[in-house]
PDB file of all heavy atoms in Angstrom:
ATOM      1  N   GLY A   2       9.938  -3.000 -14.346  1.00  0.00           N
ATOM      2  CA  GLY A   2       8.533  -2.791 -14.657  1.00  0.00           C
ATOM      3  C   GLY A   2       7.833  -1.787 -13.764  1.00  0.00           C
ATOM      4  O   GLY A   2       6.615  -1.719 -13.755  1.00  0.00           O
ATOM      5  N   PHE A   3       8.592  -1.000 -12.987  1.00  0.00           N
ATOM      6  CA  PHE A   3       7.977  -0.053 -12.059  1.00  0.00           C
ATOM      7  C   PHE A   3       8.459   1.364 -12.289  1.00  0.00           C
ATOM      8  O   PHE A   3       9.576   1.584 -12.734  1.00  0.00           O
ATOM      9  CB  PHE A   3       8.309  -0.418 -10.607  1.00  0.00           C
ATOM     10  CG  PHE A   3       7.679  -1.689 -10.153  1.00  0.00           C
ATOM     11  CD1 PHE A   3       8.417  -2.841 -10.045  1.00  0.00           C
ATOM     12  CD2 PHE A   3       6.334  -1.726  -9.834  1.00  0.00           C
ATOM     13  CE1 PHE A   3       7.848  -4.019  -9.627  1.00  0.00           C
ATOM     14  CE2 PHE A   3       5.747  -2.895  -9.409  1.00  0.00           C
ATOM     15  CZ  PHE A   3       6.506  -4.044  -9.314  1.00  0.00           C
ATOM     16  N   GLY A   4       7.601   2.324 -11.912  1.00  0.00           N
ATOM     17  CA  GLY A   4       7.968   3.721 -11.836  1.00  0.00           C
ATOM     18  C   GLY A   4       8.181   4.428 -13.162  1.00  0.00           C
ATOM     19  O   GLY A   4       8.381   3.820 -14.204  1.00  0.00           O
ATOM     20  N   ALA A   5       8.132   5.735 -13.113  1.00  0.00           N
ATOM     21  CA  ALA A   5       8.449   6.648 -14.221  1.00  0.00           C
ATOM     22  C   ALA A   5       7.911   6.169 -15.566  1.00  0.00           C
ATOM     23  O   ALA A   5       8.637   5.998 -16.527  1.00  0.00           O
ATOM     24  CB  ALA A   5       9.943   6.883 -14.294  1.00  0.00           C
ATOM     25  N   GLY A   6       6.617   5.915 -15.619  1.00  0.00           N
ATOM     26  CA  GLY A   6       5.976   5.544 -16.864  1.00  0.00           C
ATOM     27  C   GLY A   6       6.145   4.088 -17.254  1.00  0.00           C
ATOM     28  O   GLY A   6       5.659   3.664 -18.290  1.00  0.00           O
ATOM     29  N   ALA A   7       6.843   3.306 -16.424  1.00  0.00           N
ATOM     30  CA  ALA A   7       7.110   1.907 -16.758  1.00  0.00           C
ATOM     31  C   ALA A   7       6.111   0.953 -16.120  1.00  0.00           C
ATOM     32  O   ALA A   7       6.298  -0.238 -16.162  1.00  0.00           O
ATOM     33  CB  ALA A   7       8.527   1.541 -16.331  1.00  0.00           C
ATOM     34  N   GLY A   8       5.095   1.460 -15.478  1.00  0.00           N
ATOM     35  CA  GLY A   8       4.138   0.585 -14.811  1.00  0.00           C
ATOM     36  C   GLY A   8       3.699   1.187 -13.491  1.00  0.00           C
ATOM     37  O   GLY A   8       3.872   2.379 -13.261  1.00  0.00           O
ATOM     38  N   PRO A   9       3.157   0.367 -12.615  1.00  0.00           N
ATOM     39  CA  PRO A   9       2.642   0.894 -11.345  1.00  0.00           C
ATOM     40  C   PRO A   9       3.765   1.442 -10.464  1.00  0.00           C
ATOM     41  O   PRO A   9       4.892   0.954 -10.506  1.00  0.00           O
ATOM     42  CB  PRO A   9       1.982  -0.318 -10.696  1.00  0.00           C
ATOM     43  CG  PRO A   9       2.617  -1.499 -11.341  1.00  0.00           C
ATOM     44  CD  PRO A   9       2.990  -1.074 -12.718  1.00  0.00           C
ATOM     45  N   ARG A  10       3.433   2.464  -9.705  1.00  0.00           N
ATOM     46  CA  ARG A  10       4.402   3.011  -8.761  1.00  0.00           C
ATOM     47  C   ARG A  10       4.652   1.984  -7.667  1.00  0.00           C
ATOM     48  O   ARG A  10       3.741   1.335  -7.176  1.00  0.00           O
ATOM     49  CB  ARG A  10       3.874   4.304  -8.156  1.00  0.00           C
ATOM     50  CG  ARG A  10       3.866   5.455  -9.138  1.00  0.00           C
ATOM     51  CD  ARG A  10       3.315   6.760  -8.548  1.00  0.00           C
ATOM     52  NE  ARG A  10       3.750   7.009  -7.195  1.00  0.00           N
ATOM     53  CZ  ARG A  10       2.927   6.988  -6.129  1.00  0.00           C
ATOM     54  NH1 ARG A  10       1.663   6.715  -6.267  1.00  0.00           N
ATOM     55  NH2 ARG A  10       3.386   7.248  -4.936  1.00  0.00           N
ATOM     56  N   ARG A  11       5.898   1.859  -7.274  1.00  0.00           N
ATOM     57  CA  ARG A  11       6.260   0.912  -6.219  1.00  0.00           C
ATOM     58  C   ARG A  11       5.467   1.166  -4.956  1.00  0.00           C
ATOM     59  O   ARG A  11       5.025   0.234  -4.287  1.00  0.00           O
ATOM     60  CB  ARG A  11       7.750   1.013  -5.908  1.00  0.00           C
ATOM     61  CG  ARG A  11       8.642   0.467  -6.975  1.00  0.00           C
ATOM     62  CD  ARG A  11      10.097   0.605  -6.556  1.00  0.00           C
ATOM     63  NE  ARG A  11      10.504   1.997  -6.501  1.00  0.00           N
ATOM     64  CZ  ARG A  11      11.165   2.623  -7.468  1.00  0.00           C
ATOM     65  NH1 ARG A  11      11.488   1.976  -8.555  1.00  0.00           N
ATOM     66  NH2 ARG A  11      11.502   3.880  -7.349  1.00  0.00           N
ATOM     67  N   GLU A  12       5.296   2.448  -4.595  1.00  0.00           N
ATOM     68  CA  GLU A  12       4.614   2.788  -3.348  1.00  0.00           C
ATOM     69  C   GLU A  12       3.190   2.248  -3.341  1.00  0.00           C
ATOM     70  O   GLU A  12       2.721   1.727  -2.331  1.00  0.00           O
ATOM     71  CB  GLU A  12       4.607   4.306  -3.129  1.00  0.00           C
ATOM     72  CG  GLU A  12       5.979   4.908  -2.933  1.00  0.00           C
ATOM     73  CD  GLU A  12       6.676   5.271  -4.236  1.00  0.00           C
ATOM     74  OE1 GLU A  12       6.145   4.957  -5.331  1.00  0.00           O
ATOM     75  OE2 GLU A  12       7.769   5.846  -4.171  1.00  0.00           O
ATOM     76  N   ALA A  13       2.494   2.380  -4.453  1.00  0.00           N
ATOM     77  CA  ALA A  13       1.117   1.898  -4.531  1.00  0.00           C
ATOM     78  C   ALA A  13       1.072   0.380  -4.398  1.00  0.00           C
ATOM     79  O   ALA A  13       0.216  -0.170  -3.703  1.00  0.00           O
ATOM     80  CB  ALA A  13       0.465   2.340  -5.842  1.00  0.00           C
ATOM     81  N   LEU A  14       1.990  -0.284  -5.040  1.00  0.00           N
ATOM     82  CA  LEU A  14       2.037  -1.742  -4.966  1.00  0.00           C
ATOM     83  C   LEU A  14       2.332  -2.195  -3.542  1.00  0.00           C
ATOM     84  O   LEU A  14       1.703  -3.135  -3.034  1.00  0.00           O
ATOM     85  CB  LEU A  14       3.085  -2.283  -5.930  1.00  0.00           C
ATOM     86  CG  LEU A  14       3.114  -3.792  -6.093  1.00  0.00           C
ATOM     87  CD1 LEU A  14       1.795  -4.308  -6.654  1.00  0.00           C
ATOM     88  CD2 LEU A  14       4.256  -4.195  -6.996  1.00  0.00           C
ATOM     89  N   VAL A  15       3.259  -1.524  -2.866  1.00  0.00           N
ATOM     90  CA  VAL A  15       3.587  -1.884  -1.477  1.00  0.00           C
ATOM     91  C   VAL A  15       2.385  -1.647  -0.571  1.00  0.00           C
ATOM     92  O   VAL A  15       2.071  -2.473   0.294  1.00  0.00           O
ATOM     93  CB  VAL A  15       4.829  -1.108  -0.983  1.00  0.00           C
ATOM     94  CG1 VAL A  15       5.020  -1.270   0.514  1.00  0.00           C
ATOM     95  CG2 VAL A  15       6.064  -1.573  -1.728  1.00  0.00           C
ATOM     96  N   GLN A  16       1.677  -0.539  -0.755  1.00  0.00           N
ATOM     97  CA  GLN A  16       0.509  -0.258   0.085  1.00  0.00           C
ATOM     98  C   GLN A  16      -0.566  -1.330  -0.099  1.00  0.00           C
ATOM     99  O   GLN A  16      -1.177  -1.784   0.868  1.00  0.00           O
ATOM    100  CB  GLN A  16      -0.059   1.128  -0.227  1.00  0.00           C
ATOM    101  CG  GLN A  16       0.826   2.272   0.195  1.00  0.00           C
ATOM    102  CD  GLN A  16       1.051   2.328   1.698  1.00  0.00           C
ATOM    103  OE1 GLN A  16       0.282   1.807   2.479  1.00  0.00           O
ATOM    104  NE2 GLN A  16       2.128   2.967   2.103  1.00  0.00           N
ATOM    105  N   VAL A  17      -0.807  -1.735  -1.319  1.00  0.00           N
ATOM    106  CA  VAL A  17      -1.793  -2.789  -1.585  1.00  0.00           C
ATOM    107  C   VAL A  17      -1.316  -4.091  -0.962  1.00  0.00           C
ATOM    108  O   VAL A  17      -2.091  -4.826  -0.336  1.00  0.00           O
ATOM    109  CB  VAL A  17      -2.050  -2.933  -3.097  1.00  0.00           C
ATOM    110  CG1 VAL A  17      -2.848  -4.191  -3.405  1.00  0.00           C
ATOM    111  CG2 VAL A  17      -2.779  -1.696  -3.625  1.00  0.00           C
ATOM    112  N   ALA A  18      -0.030  -4.390  -1.087  1.00  0.00           N
ATOM    113  CA  ALA A  18       0.518  -5.612  -0.495  1.00  0.00           C
ATOM    114  C   ALA A  18       0.354  -5.612   1.018  1.00  0.00           C
ATOM    115  O   ALA A  18       0.053  -6.657   1.616  1.00  0.00           O
ATOM    116  CB  ALA A  18       1.988  -5.763  -0.873  1.00  0.00           C
ATOM    117  N   LEU A  19       0.524  -4.462   1.652  1.00  0.00           N
ATOM    118  CA  LEU A  19       0.331  -4.378   3.103  1.00  0.00           C
ATOM    119  C   LEU A  19      -1.122  -4.678   3.482  1.00  0.00           C
ATOM    120  O   LEU A  19      -1.386  -5.351   4.482  1.00  0.00           O
ATOM    121  CB  LEU A  19       0.735  -2.992   3.623  1.00  0.00           C
ATOM    122  CG  LEU A  19       2.225  -2.725   3.649  1.00  0.00           C
ATOM    123  CD1 LEU A  19       2.483  -1.249   3.934  1.00  0.00           C
ATOM    124  CD2 LEU A  19       2.914  -3.596   4.675  1.00  0.00           C
ATOM    125  N   GLN A  20      -2.056  -4.187   2.680  1.00  0.00           N
ATOM    126  CA  GLN A  20      -3.469  -4.468   2.954  1.00  0.00           C
ATOM    127  C   GLN A  20      -3.759  -5.959   2.841  1.00  0.00           C
ATOM    128  O   GLN A  20      -4.431  -6.545   3.686  1.00  0.00           O
ATOM    129  CB  GLN A  20      -4.366  -3.693   1.985  1.00  0.00           C
ATOM    130  CG  GLN A  20      -4.372  -2.210   2.211  1.00  0.00           C
ATOM    131  CD  GLN A  20      -4.860  -1.878   3.604  1.00  0.00           C
ATOM    132  OE1 GLN A  20      -5.937  -2.287   4.011  1.00  0.00           O
ATOM    133  NE2 GLN A  20      -4.057  -1.155   4.348  1.00  0.00           N
ATOM    134  N   VAL A  21      -3.244  -6.570   1.783  1.00  0.00           N
ATOM    135  CA  VAL A  21      -3.463  -8.002   1.576  1.00  0.00           C
ATOM    136  C   VAL A  21      -2.814  -8.799   2.709  1.00  0.00           C
ATOM    137  O   VAL A  21      -3.408  -9.743   3.243  1.00  0.00           O
ATOM    138  CB  VAL A  21      -2.924  -8.446   0.201  1.00  0.00           C
ATOM    139  CG1 VAL A  21      -2.925  -9.963   0.064  1.00  0.00           C
ATOM    140  CG2 VAL A  21      -3.757  -7.815  -0.913  1.00  0.00           C
ATOM    141  N   ALA A  22      -1.603  -8.414   3.113  1.00  0.00           N
ATOM    142  CA  ALA A  22      -0.916  -9.116   4.195  1.00  0.00           C
ATOM    143  C   ALA A  22      -1.699  -9.001   5.502  1.00  0.00           C
ATOM    144  O   ALA A  22      -1.836  -9.985   6.241  1.00  0.00           O
ATOM    145  CB  ALA A  22       0.498  -8.566   4.373  1.00  0.00           C
ATOM    146  N   PHE A  23      -2.226  -7.810   5.791  1.00  0.00           N
ATOM    147  CA  PHE A  23      -3.012  -7.644   7.022  1.00  0.00           C
ATOM    148  C   PHE A  23      -4.263  -8.526   6.965  1.00  0.00           C
ATOM    149  O   PHE A  23      -4.612  -9.194   7.933  1.00  0.00           O
ATOM    150  CB  PHE A  23      -3.405  -6.178   7.230  1.00  0.00           C
ATOM    151  CG  PHE A  23      -4.006  -5.936   8.590  1.00  0.00           C
ATOM    152  CD1 PHE A  23      -3.209  -5.510   9.634  1.00  0.00           C
ATOM    153  CD2 PHE A  23      -5.353  -6.161   8.834  1.00  0.00           C
ATOM    154  CE1 PHE A  23      -3.749  -5.305  10.901  1.00  0.00           C
ATOM    155  CE2 PHE A  23      -5.898  -5.968  10.083  1.00  0.00           C
ATOM    156  CZ  PHE A  23      -5.093  -5.533  11.123  1.00  0.00           C
ATOM    157  N   TYR A  24      -4.923  -8.537   5.817  1.00  0.00           N
ATOM    158  CA  TYR A  24      -6.120  -9.360   5.666  1.00  0.00           C
ATOM    159  C   TYR A  24      -5.779 -10.829   5.886  1.00  0.00           C
ATOM    160  O   TYR A  24      -6.500 -11.542   6.578  1.00  0.00           O
ATOM    161  CB  TYR A  24      -6.726  -9.163   4.274  1.00  0.00           C
ATOM    162  CG  TYR A  24      -7.937 -10.032   4.047  1.00  0.00           C
ATOM    163  CD1 TYR A  24      -9.194  -9.619   4.458  1.00  0.00           C
ATOM    164  CD2 TYR A  24      -7.817 -11.287   3.457  1.00  0.00           C
ATOM    165  CE1 TYR A  24     -10.308 -10.422   4.274  1.00  0.00           C
ATOM    166  CE2 TYR A  24      -8.924 -12.094   3.269  1.00  0.00           C
ATOM    167  CZ  TYR A  24     -10.168 -11.660   3.688  1.00  0.00           C
ATOM    168  OH  TYR A  24     -11.261 -12.473   3.511  1.00  0.00           O
ATOM    169  N   ARG A  25      -4.696 -11.272   5.307  1.00  0.00           N
ATOM    170  CA  ARG A  25      -4.331 -12.682   5.444  1.00  0.00           C
ATOM    171  C   ARG A  25      -3.950 -13.019   6.882  1.00  0.00           C
ATOM    172  O   ARG A  25      -4.179 -14.129   7.335  1.00  0.00           O
ATOM    173  CB  ARG A  25      -3.200 -13.028   4.490  1.00  0.00           C
ATOM    174  CG  ARG A  25      -3.683 -12.968   3.041  1.00  0.00           C
ATOM    175  CD  ARG A  25      -2.626 -13.375   2.096  1.00  0.00           C
ATOM    176  NE  ARG A  25      -3.139 -14.520   1.341  1.00  0.00           N
ATOM    177  CZ  ARG A  25      -2.427 -15.188   0.484  1.00  0.00           C
ATOM    178  NH1 ARG A  25      -1.167 -14.884   0.296  1.00  0.00           N
ATOM    179  NH2 ARG A  25      -2.957 -16.180  -0.177  1.00  0.00           N
ATOM    180  N   ALA A  26      -3.373 -12.072   7.603  1.00  0.00           N
ATOM    181  CA  ALA A  26      -2.975 -12.326   8.993  1.00  0.00           C
ATOM    182  C   ALA A  26      -4.151 -12.255   9.956  1.00  0.00           C
ATOM    183  O   ALA A  26      -4.189 -12.970  10.949  1.00  0.00           O
ATOM    184  CB  ALA A  26      -1.893 -11.333   9.425  1.00  0.00           C
ATOM    185  N   HIS A  27      -5.129 -11.385   9.663  1.00  0.00           N
ATOM    186  CA  HIS A  27      -6.197 -11.119  10.628  1.00  0.00           C
ATOM    187  C   HIS A  27      -7.603 -11.427  10.127  1.00  0.00           C
ATOM    188  O   HIS A  27      -8.570 -11.302  10.883  1.00  0.00           O
ATOM    189  CB  HIS A  27      -6.126  -9.657  11.084  1.00  0.00           C
ATOM    190  CG  HIS A  27      -4.816  -9.308  11.709  1.00  0.00           C
ATOM    191  ND1 HIS A  27      -4.495  -9.666  13.000  1.00  0.00           N
ATOM    192  CD2 HIS A  27      -3.735  -8.655  11.215  1.00  0.00           C
ATOM    193  CE1 HIS A  27      -3.272  -9.238  13.285  1.00  0.00           C
ATOM    194  NE2 HIS A  27      -2.796  -8.620  12.211  1.00  0.00           N
ATOM    195  N   GLY A  28      -7.750 -11.750   8.860  1.00  0.00           N
ATOM    196  CA  GLY A  28      -9.060 -12.097   8.330  1.00  0.00           C
ATOM    197  C   GLY A  28      -9.958 -10.919   8.030  1.00  0.00           C
ATOM    198  O   GLY A  28     -11.137 -11.098   7.738  1.00  0.00           O
ATOM    199  N   SER A  29      -9.418  -9.706   8.098  1.00  0.00           N
ATOM    200  CA  SER A  29     -10.195  -8.510   7.766  1.00  0.00           C
ATOM    201  C   SER A  29      -9.230  -7.380   7.430  1.00  0.00           C
ATOM    202  O   SER A  29      -8.051  -7.443   7.776  1.00  0.00           O
ATOM    203  CB  SER A  29     -11.088  -8.093   8.940  1.00  0.00           C
ATOM    204  OG  SER A  29     -10.282  -7.673  10.028  1.00  0.00           O
ATOM    205  N   LEU A  30      -9.761  -6.371   6.763  1.00  0.00           N
ATOM    206  CA  LEU A  30      -8.977  -5.162   6.549  1.00  0.00           C
ATOM    207  C   LEU A  30      -9.083  -4.317   7.813  1.00  0.00           C
ATOM    208  O   LEU A  30      -9.913  -4.578   8.676  1.00  0.00           O
ATOM    209  CB  LEU A  30      -9.510  -4.388   5.345  1.00  0.00           C
ATOM    210  CG  LEU A  30      -9.411  -5.093   3.990  1.00  0.00           C
ATOM    211  CD1 LEU A  30      -9.984  -4.197   2.897  1.00  0.00           C
ATOM    212  CD2 LEU A  30      -7.986  -5.483   3.658  1.00  0.00           C
ATOM    213  N   CYS A  31      -8.260  -3.310   7.916  1.00  0.00           N
ATOM    214  CA  CYS A  31      -8.324  -2.439   9.091  1.00  0.00           C
ATOM    215  C   CYS A  31      -8.230  -0.987   8.654  1.00  0.00           C
ATOM    216  O   CYS A  31      -7.869  -0.684   7.518  1.00  0.00           O
ATOM    217  CB  CYS A  31      -7.187  -2.774  10.054  1.00  0.00           C
ATOM    218  SG  CYS A  31      -5.553  -2.306   9.449  1.00  0.00           S
ATOM    219  N   ALA A  32      -8.560  -0.112   9.586  1.00  0.00           N
ATOM    220  CA  ALA A  32      -8.389   1.316   9.323  1.00  0.00           C
ATOM    221  C   ALA A  32      -6.891   1.579   9.184  1.00  0.00           C
ATOM    222  O   ALA A  32      -6.103   1.254  10.064  1.00  0.00           O
ATOM    223  CB  ALA A  32      -8.979   2.138  10.458  1.00  0.00           C
ATOM    224  N   THR A  33      -6.515   2.144   8.051  1.00  0.00           N
ATOM    225  CA  THR A  33      -5.114   2.347   7.703  1.00  0.00           C
ATOM    226  C   THR A  33      -4.926   3.758   7.182  1.00  0.00           C
ATOM    227  O   THR A  33      -5.822   4.307   6.542  1.00  0.00           O
ATOM    228  CB  THR A  33      -4.706   1.362   6.584  1.00  0.00           C
ATOM    229  OG1 THR A  33      -5.011   0.056   7.004  1.00  0.00           O
ATOM    230  CG2 THR A  33      -3.247   1.462   6.252  1.00  0.00           C
ATOM    231  N   CYS A  34      -3.767   4.319   7.449  1.00  0.00           N
ATOM    232  CA  CYS A  34      -3.478   5.628   6.877  1.00  0.00           C
ATOM    233  C   CYS A  34      -2.009   5.716   6.496  1.00  0.00           C
ATOM    234  O   CYS A  34      -1.167   5.032   7.055  1.00  0.00           O
ATOM    235  CB  CYS A  34      -3.840   6.747   7.838  1.00  0.00           C
ATOM    236  SG  CYS A  34      -2.750   6.850   9.263  1.00  0.00           S
ATOM    237  N   GLU A  35      -1.755   6.570   5.537  1.00  0.00           N
ATOM    238  CA  GLU A  35      -0.400   6.912   5.140  1.00  0.00           C
ATOM    239  C   GLU A  35      -0.342   8.433   5.068  1.00  0.00           C
ATOM    240  O   GLU A  35      -1.011   9.042   4.230  1.00  0.00           O
ATOM    241  CB  GLU A  35      -0.054   6.316   3.774  1.00  0.00           C
ATOM    242  CG  GLU A  35       1.328   6.707   3.310  1.00  0.00           C
ATOM    243  CD  GLU A  35       1.628   6.271   1.886  1.00  0.00           C
ATOM    244  OE1 GLU A  35       0.736   5.766   1.185  1.00  0.00           O
ATOM    245  OE2 GLU A  35       2.783   6.465   1.470  1.00  0.00           O
ATOM    246  N   PRO A  36       0.408   9.073   5.958  1.00  0.00           N
ATOM    247  CA  PRO A  36       0.529  10.530   5.878  1.00  0.00           C
ATOM    248  C   PRO A  36       1.259  10.941   4.601  1.00  0.00           C
ATOM    249  O   PRO A  36       2.265  10.342   4.233  1.00  0.00           O
ATOM    250  CB  PRO A  36       1.357  10.898   7.111  1.00  0.00           C
ATOM    251  CG  PRO A  36       1.244   9.721   8.016  1.00  0.00           C
ATOM    252  CD  PRO A  36       1.086   8.528   7.126  1.00  0.00           C
ATOM    253  N   LEU A  37       0.719  11.939   3.913  1.00  0.00           N
ATOM    254  CA  LEU A  37       1.341  12.464   2.698  1.00  0.00           C
ATOM    255  C   LEU A  37       1.544  13.962   2.838  1.00  0.00           C
ATOM    256  O   LEU A  37       0.701  14.661   3.397  1.00  0.00           O
ATOM    257  CB  LEU A  37       0.451  12.209   1.473  1.00  0.00           C
ATOM    258  CG  LEU A  37       0.221  10.772   1.037  1.00  0.00           C
ATOM    259  CD1 LEU A  37      -0.695  10.742  -0.180  1.00  0.00           C
ATOM    260  CD2 LEU A  37       1.530  10.084   0.722  1.00  0.00           C
ATOM    261  N   SER A  38       2.628  14.445   2.321  1.00  0.00           N
ATOM    262  CA  SER A  38       2.895  15.877   2.318  1.00  0.00           C
ATOM    263  C   SER A  38       2.057  16.556   1.243  1.00  0.00           C
ATOM    264  O   SER A  38       1.940  16.058   0.126  1.00  0.00           O
ATOM    265  CB  SER A  38       4.376  16.131   2.040  1.00  0.00           C
ATOM    266  OG  SER A  38       4.594  17.512   1.821  1.00  0.00           O
ATOM    267  N   LEU A  39       1.494  17.690   1.597  1.00  0.00           N
ATOM    268  CA  LEU A  39       0.717  18.491   0.637  1.00  0.00           C
ATOM    269  C   LEU A  39       1.542  19.664   0.129  1.00  0.00           C
ATOM    270  O   LEU A  39       0.994  20.710  -0.218  1.00  0.00           O
ATOM    271  CB  LEU A  39      -0.559  18.995   1.297  1.00  0.00           C
ATOM    272  CG  LEU A  39      -1.548  17.926   1.746  1.00  0.00           C
ATOM    273  CD1 LEU A  39      -2.760  18.561   2.407  1.00  0.00           C
ATOM    274  CD2 LEU A  39      -1.974  17.071   0.585  1.00  0.00           C
ATOM    275  N   ARG A  40       2.848  19.506   0.074  1.00  0.00           N
ATOM    276  CA  ARG A  40       3.735  20.621  -0.259  1.00  0.00           C
ATOM    277  C   ARG A  40       3.403  21.299  -1.581  1.00  0.00           C
ATOM    278  O   ARG A  40       3.699  22.456  -1.770  1.00  0.00           O
ATOM    279  CB  ARG A  40       5.195  20.184  -0.226  1.00  0.00           C
ATOM    280  CG  ARG A  40       5.581  19.159  -1.259  1.00  0.00           C
ATOM    281  CD  ARG A  40       7.058  18.762  -1.128  1.00  0.00           C
ATOM    282  NE  ARG A  40       7.347  17.609  -1.940  1.00  0.00           N
ATOM    283  CZ  ARG A  40       7.324  16.365  -1.506  1.00  0.00           C
ATOM    284  NH1 ARG A  40       7.013  16.129  -0.252  1.00  0.00           N
ATOM    285  NH2 ARG A  40       7.605  15.366  -2.311  1.00  0.00           N
TER     286      ARG A  40
END
């Protein structure tokens, strides 16, 4: 159900999951970044 037109990109789902996990561990969101190539 992921990737290449089959649904949400795995990367996006993992990033959202990391935010939720941080919130559950610390009770708040935090400043977060993911470096992306602008090639």
Side-chain angles (χ1 to χ4, degrees):
F3 292 104
R10 288 179 41 248
R11 289 181 292 262
E12 295 86 354
L14 188 62
V15 169
Q16 291 297 338
V17 169
L19 287 170
Q20 291 300 305
V21 170
F23 190 94
Y24 178 85
R25 292 183 121 185
H27 301 282
S29 66
L30 296 180
C31 70
T33 305
C34 70
E35 178 187 7
L37 294 179
S38 171
L39 297 179
R40 65 181 169 266

